Amino acid sequence: VENNKVNPWEVKGKVDYEKLIKEFGVQKLDYEKVGSLFDESHVSLRRGFFYAHRDFDKWIEALKSNKPLAIVSGRGPSRQMHIGHIVVFHFAKWLQEKTGAFMYIPFSDDEKYLTKASDFKTIREYTINNLINILALDFDPKKTRIFIDTQEPIIYSLSILFSKHFNLNTIRSVFGADFKNIGWIFYPAVQVAHILLPQVLNGQTETLVPVAIDQDPYLRIARDIAPKYGFLKPRTILSKFFPSLEDPYGKMSSSGEKLISLDDDFNMIKKKMRKYAFSGGRPTIEEHRKLGGIPEIDVAFLYLYYFFEEDDEKIKEIEEKYRRGELLTKEIKDYASEKIWEFLKEFQERKEVIKENWEEYYYKYTLKEKEKEKILDFIYSN
Amino acid sequence: VENNKVNPWEVKGKVDYEKLIKEFGVQKLDYEKVGSLFDESHVSLRRGFFYAHRDFDKWIEALKSNKPLAIVSGRGPSRQMHIGHIVVFHFAKWLQEKTGAFMYIPFSDDEKYLTKASDFKTIREYTINNLINILALDFDPKKTRIFIDTQEPIIYSLSILFSKHFNLNTIRSVFGADFKNIGWIFYPAVQVAHILLPQVLNGQTETLVPVAIDQDPYLRIARDIAPKYGFLKPRTILSKFFPSLEDPYGKMSSSGEKLISLDDDFNMIKKKMRKYAFSGGRPTIEEHRKLGGIPEIDVAFLYLYYFFEEDDEKIKEIEEKYRRGELLTKEIKDYASEKIWEFLKEFQERKEVIKENWEEYYYKYTLKEKEKEKILDFIYSN
């Protein structure tokens, strides 16, 4: 029985992260080998939220020898964004600050239109909504490009170039998805264009793609064809899914109210955490005090552990106290709510500033005319 | 045994035009019904080179009631152009002059890259070469748009919109082709975007697509989805293939030297006609004088008949004299060479003028910023 499935468009059932490493043929991330390279590491990196990779070590080597670096990580804007969506961007921004890498953030509104039961009108609303969120993260516009596929369609010309290398059988076997229309079948070439864009613009560039593990198939096909253009194979660092409120092994949903939205206020967060967050605690306070909680399956704890509690001492203390039954589920949930709110409050404030003039902000990040010309020149010389 | 095959990427074997009408489900063109509507008709129309259609009569009706009209006819630039390629554009220009219709000429460099064993570097050379030919036809820039798919990629955003309506099975059964890569699979949506573009820009518009019969599958799928957007079904008028030099039932090849290129001079034309043109004459002069020639299978006669001899009296005279054996094969070939040269000489002169500053000429025909914005607005409201 096929009880789980992970591809870019479907994450079904309980996710077995170890099994995915084998299935996808990626490497397990050894934190000691990579994390120690930075003076202080990112919380989600050292706590194993990023847990697998392809040649991340090569990217690190390139960093040490001052080679040109790039980071690509995009957003598929089909829904509102929740706290799980922000982690990879937060990490990417941290990486950019640490390394000086050039960052590319493509918005695949096309993918969402093609793969979801939504029209473009709806997708467009979410695109702008999601874009404002990304703008609020305050990437350095001198070193960051943000573009929306349908709005900066030069990316499609590049996709046409790459698409010739992929036949239907390859795409079917790599993605294992039921492609419902011809645009969807073509779309993997668009994502390859996103991933190879830094090298199209600047020649050989060590490109790192930090994404959730379900996106790995795109990396596989991009790596396959990179050498045909004299490019380095793009590297990736792969995260787990940010846990669903109701299931520590599931992926946080993007619809309904069982998620912590980036727009939620403190009361809403607290309410949702109390109501929905799967608990690693015991049925009664007495039992909990006696047997202790199980942090590994406690969603509130996992939120703190993977991202919201940066302090290593503090998280260790919480974990131990919870395990010993000294901390109750409700207490850990409320603490997580506070930490989430601490992050979101600041984020929402920046967002308020940007909201009114988002087009002005966005403009600073868009592809420049010269870059678009470079893309065309590249196409016509291949 | 499958001894013939006609789809946009392959014309194999002896073409049976009557059979194609049935296979494609198109209507036979009744010249009396449509040609008489113009004060003077186009030679290729009244002589049956355009021989089939889908709702051409509706386009004519719209013309009579002064409704907005458009014509779409593109060029796939994989090779040099030959005399066969010019006929449809000549007809389209005549139609535009008679009707005031707005004309769109997309260059599907993408299609050629995806479906041929050529790189973009090669395709680009032919694109510019072919573009200069089209510019030399001197369409009215106020009423004509010419665009190259990869260079005006907004057309791809529109293609993404339409591509959601087509699944692989539909495309496979309509085209009956072996799609060798995922770009090729997607490409039919691009051509649908070409065909529906007039209505995307201007709302309901009677759109006529004059093309060779092998392009009809694109019309079929464009007509299928047009009503979903409140559009009129595009109409088409379908031509036979311009005959191959060596085979009156074949399609003129685009490579090798067995074709009359738009760049050939008089001597070259004469030489090729004498050497390669399939003759309807008899093996010896004696037999020919006695039995007469067969104009229906004589390629030189067909060139004159379908396009190069506009004078109805004259062509009738040639046909009769040839049939009676009064005209020899060599004479008819030489006369055809003269007529072809008459046309090409003028064409090549205009081309010389344009060649130097082709980009300046081209610029007048490109999509305007406002039009590109309109396309995006259309996408985002659907």
Side-chain angles (χ1 to χ4, degrees):
Chain A
V1 190
E2 185 195 39
N3 54 1
N4 56 36
K5 192 172 185 178
V6 173
N7 70 43
W9 310 291
E10 201 177 358
V11 176
K12 223 169 71 181
K14 182 171 162 165
V15 182
D16 182 338
Y17 290 111
E18 295 305 314
K19 202 176 138 206
L20 280 181
I21 284 188
K22 282 186 204 116
E23 264 181 33
F24 284 5
V26 297
Q27 297 151 280
K28 193 161 179 155
L29 190 76
D30 180 347
Y31 172 67
E32 295 310 316
K33 262 181 75 182
V34 291
S36 50
L37 295 162
F38 301 104
D39 49 349
E40 48 162 341
S41 75
H42 188 273
V43 54
S44 306
L45 181 62
R46 69 177 181 270
R47 305 258 177 87
F49 183 65
F50 289 95
Y51 87 111
H53 71 112
R54 290 179 186 270
D55 296 339
F56 182 44
D57 42 339
K58 292 196 178 149
W59 196 80
I60 298 283
E61 270 168 43
L63 165 65
K64 285 192 285 186
S65 41
N66 285 314
K67 292 202 178 130
L69 300 176
I71 302 169
V72 179
S73 193
R75 166 76 195 143
S78 64
R79 299 280 187 177
Q80 59 183 312
M81 287 175 76
H82 57 59
I83 51 170
H85 293 131
I86 221 72
V87 179
V88 170
F89 289 107
H90 191 273
F91 173 67
K93 195 184 174 209
W94 174 86
L95 263 183
Q96 182 183 46
E97 284 163 2
K98 291 282 166 197
T99 66
F102 209 98
M103 174 91 193
Y104 297 85
I105 309 176
F107 269 69
S108 53
D109 59 340
D110 43 7
E111 179 183 24
K112 292 304 171 179
Y113 165 74
L114 293 167
T115 63
K116 304 275 174 189
S118 296
D119 54 23
F120 252 121
K121 208 169 167 175
T122 311
I123 296 293
R124 183 65 182 167
E125 277 170 34
Y126 285 117
T127 300
I128 294 169
N129 164 299
N130 288 193
L131 178 62
I132 293 168
N133 287 331
I134 299 297
L135 293 174
L137 291 177
D138 213 17
F139 282 91
D140 178 357
K142 283 195 288 298
K143 288 186 172 187
T144 307
R145 295 289 176 270
I146 303 176
F147 58 94
I148 299 162
D149 282 345
T150 55
Q151 209 172 333
E152 294 281 23
I154 190 68
I155 205 69
Y156 291 121
S157 301
L158 188 58
S159 313
I160 293 282
L161 178 72
F162 297 141
S163 71
K164 193 171 180 175
H165 303 297
F166 305 115
N167 65 38
L168 185 63
N169 287 342
T170 306
I171 294 302
R172 273 193 172 140
S173 78
V174 171
F175 288 90
D178 176 21
F179 298 93
K180 294 208 165 55
N181 59 67
I182 60 172
W184 190 345
I185 294 171
F186 174 66
Y187 178 75
V190 180
Q191 196 126 328
V192 167
H194 296 161
I195 294 171
L196 299 181
L197 184 60
Q199 303 193 76
V200 168
L201 289 174
N202 303 310
Q204 281 203 348
T205 305
E206 276 287 352
T207 307
L208 181 70
V209 185
V211 278
I213 183 94
D214 61 333
Q215 302 291 307
D216 180 67
Y218 290 124
L219 266 296
R220 246 179 294 166
I221 62 169
R223 287 167 61 92
D224 274 354
I225 68 154
K228 289 188 205 287
Y229 294 92
F231 291 162
L232 300 172
K233 288 190 179 205
R235 324 306 185 186
T236 183
I237 176 163
L238 300 161
S239 81
K240 297 178 180 172
F241 301 116
F242 204 75
S244 149
L245 267 174
E246 297 188 301
D247 176 5
Y249 303 107
K251 179 184 178 183
M252 187 177 273
S253 162
S254 295
S255 57
E257 69 149 20
K258 293 173 186 174
L259 56 85
I260 311 288
S261 155
L262 294 180
D263 294 317
D264 283 348
D265 62 20
F266 180 55
N267 284 332
M268 182 66 86
I269 298 168
K270 211 157 94 175
K271 204 180 109 189
K272 286 179 178 173
M273 287 298 288
R274 286 194 183 179
K275 190 167 171 190
Y276 300 121
F278 187 87
S279 165
R282 305 293 170 173
T284 65
I285 295 185
E286 289 67 36
E287 276 182 81
H288 190 79
R289 296 288 186 212
K290 203 171 126 193
L291 301 169
I294 307 164
E296 289 78 3
I297 59 165
D298 188 282
V299 164
F301 177 79
L302 291 174
Y303 289 179
L304 290 167
Y305 184 78
Y306 282 146
F307 187 68
F308 288 101
E309 179 51 84
E310 284 194 47
D311 185 331
D312 288 344
E313 292 304 310
K314 181 82 186 170
I315 197 73
K316 207 177 160 193
E317 188 194 319
I318 292 170
E319 184 181 345
E320 284 168 2
K321 281 190 174 170
Y322 191 53
R323 215 184 284 285
R324 288 198 302 265
E326 286 167 42
L327 265 175
L328 296 178
T329 287
K330 189 170 159 285
E331 288 165 331
I332 209 165
K333 282 185 175 187
D334 284 355
Y335 181 72
S337 300
E338 275 166 39
K339 294 298 287 185
I340 293 170
W341 175 238
E342 202 177 297
F343 179 90
L344 285 191
K345 188 171 174 288
E346 205 192 315
F347 173 80
Q348 288 173 15
E349 279 163 9
R350 282 202 303 280
K351 199 164 145 178
E352 272 314 302
V353 177
I354 283 161
K355 222 167 186 172
E356 284 297 294
N357 306 307
W358 69 268
E359 279 170 302
E360 226 170 275
Y361 279 89
Y362 172 45
Y363 184 75
K364 293 188 284 179
Y365 294 99
T366 50
L367 290 176
K368 306 295 169 268
E369 282 312 311
K370 269 198 177 167
E371 291 164 340
K372 294 186 203 181
E373 280 165 30
K374 255 191 178 174
I375 296 174
L376 262 189
D377 286 348
F378 178 83
I379 295 166
Y380 296 151
S381 61
N382 271 286
Chain B
V1 190
E2 187 194 39
N3 55 0
N4 55 38
K5 193 170 182 179
V6 173
N7 70 43
W9 310 291
E10 201 176 0
V11 176
K12 223 169 71 180
K14 180 172 164 167
V15 183
D16 183 338
Y17 290 111
E18 295 305 314
K19 201 175 138 207
L20 280 181
I21 284 188
K22 281 185 205 118
E23 263 180 36
F24 284 5
V26 298
Q27 296 151 280
K28 192 162 181 157
L29 190 76
D30 180 347
Y31 172 67
E32 297 309 317
K33 261 180 76 182
V34 291
S36 50
L37 295 161
F38 302 104
D39 49 351
E40 46 162 344
S41 75
H42 188 273
V43 54
S44 305
L45 181 62
R46 69 177 180 267
R47 303 257 179 89
F49 183 66
F50 289 95
Y51 85 110
H53 71 112
R54 290 179 187 269
D55 296 339
F56 182 45
D57 42 338
K58 290 196 179 150
W59 196 80
I60 298 284
E61 268 169 43
L63 165 65
K64 286 190 284 185
S65 39
N66 285 314
K67 291 199 178 131
L69 300 176
I71 302 169
V72 179
S73 193
R75 166 74 195 145
S78 65
R79 299 281 188 176
Q80 60 183 309
M81 288 175 75
H82 58 58
I83 51 169
H85 293 131
I86 222 72
V87 179
V88 170
F89 290 108
H90 191 274
F91 173 66
K93 193 180 176 215
W94 174 85
L95 262 184
Q96 182 183 46
E97 283 163 3
K98 291 281 167 198
T99 66
F102 209 97
M103 174 92 193
Y104 297 85
I105 309 176
F107 269 68
S108 52
D109 59 341
D110 43 6
E111 178 183 24
K112 292 302 170 180
Y113 165 76
L114 292 167
T115 62
K116 305 275 174 188
S118 297
D119 54 23
F120 252 121
K121 208 170 167 176
T122 311
I123 296 293
R124 182 64 182 168
E125 277 169 33
Y126 286 117
T127 300
I128 293 168
N129 163 298
N130 288 193
L131 178 61
I132 293 168
N133 287 333
I134 299 297
L135 293 174
L137 291 178
D138 212 17
F139 282 91
D140 178 357
K142 284 196 288 298
K143 287 185 173 187
T144 307
R145 295 289 177 268
I146 303 177
F147 59 93
I148 299 162
D149 282 345
T150 56
Q151 208 171 334
E152 294 281 24
I154 190 68
I155 204 72
Y156 292 122
S157 301
L158 189 58
S159 312
I160 293 282
L161 177 72
F162 296 141
S163 71
K164 193 169 181 177
H165 303 297
F166 304 114
N167 64 38
L168 185 62
N169 287 342
T170 306
I171 294 302
R172 272 191 171 143
S173 79
V174 171
F175 288 90
D178 176 20
F179 298 93
K180 294 209 165 51
N181 60 68
I182 59 172
W184 191 344
I185 294 171
F186 174 66
Y187 179 74
V190 180
Q191 196 126 329
V192 167
H194 295 159
I195 294 170
L196 298 182
L197 184 59
Q199 303 193 74
V200 168
L201 289 173
N202 304 309
Q204 282 203 347
T205 305
E206 276 287 351
T207 307
L208 181 70
V209 185
V211 279
I213 183 94
D214 60 334
Q215 302 291 307
D216 179 66
Y218 290 124
L219 266 296
R220 246 178 295 166
I221 62 170
R223 287 167 60 92
D224 273 353
I225 68 155
K228 289 188 205 289
Y229 294 92
F231 291 163
L232 299 172
K233 290 191 178 205
R235 324 305 184 186
T236 183
I237 175 164
L238 300 161
S239 82
K240 296 178 182 173
F241 300 117
F242 205 75
S244 151
L245 267 173
E246 297 188 302
D247 177 4
Y249 303 107
K251 179 184 176 182
M252 186 176 274
S253 163
S254 295
S255 57
E257 69 150 19
K258 294 174 186 174
L259 56 83
I260 311 288
S261 155
L262 294 180
D263 294 317
D264 285 347
D265 62 19
F266 180 55
N267 284 332
M268 183 65 87
I269 298 167
K270 211 157 94 176
K271 205 181 108 189
K272 286 179 179 174
M273 287 297 288
R274 284 192 184 180
K275 191 167 171 190
Y276 300 121
F278 186 88
S279 164
R282 305 294 168 170
T284 66
I285 295 187
E286 290 66 37
E287 276 181 81
H288 191 81
R289 295 289 186 211
K290 204 171 122 192
L291 301 170
I294 308 166
E296 290 78 4
I297 60 165
D298 189 281
V299 165
F301 177 79
L302 291 175
Y303 289 178
L304 290 166
Y305 184 78
Y306 282 147
F307 187 68
F308 289 101
E309 180 52 85
E310 286 194 47
D311 186 330
D312 288 344
E313 291 303 310
K314 181 83 184 169
I315 197 72
K316 205 176 160 194
E317 188 194 319
I318 292 170
E319 184 181 344
E320 285 169 0
K321 281 189 173 173
Y322 190 53
R323 212 183 287 284
R324 288 196 304 262
E326 287 168 41
L327 266 175
L328 295 178
T329 286
K330 188 168 159 286
E331 288 165 331
I332 209 165
K333 282 185 175 186
D334 284 355
Y335 182 71
S337 301
E338 274 167 41
K339 293 299 287 185
I340 292 170
W341 175 239
E342 201 177 297
F343 179 89
L344 285 190
K345 187 170 174 289
E346 205 193 313
F347 174 79
Q348 288 173 15
E349 280 163 9
R350 280 202 305 277
K351 200 164 145 177
E352 272 315 300
V353 178
I354 284 161
K355 223 168 183 172
E356 285 297 292
N357 306 306
W358 68 267
E359 279 169 304
E360 223 170 277
Y361 279 89
Y362 173 44
Y363 183 76
K364 292 188 285 179
Y365 294 99
T366 50
L367 290 176
K368 306 296 169 268
E369 283 312 311
K370 269 198 178 166
E371 290 164 340
K372 294 185 202 181
E373 281 166 28
K374 254 189 178 174
I375 296 173
L376 263 188
D377 285 348
F378 178 82
I379 295 166
Y380 296 151
S381 62
N382 271 286

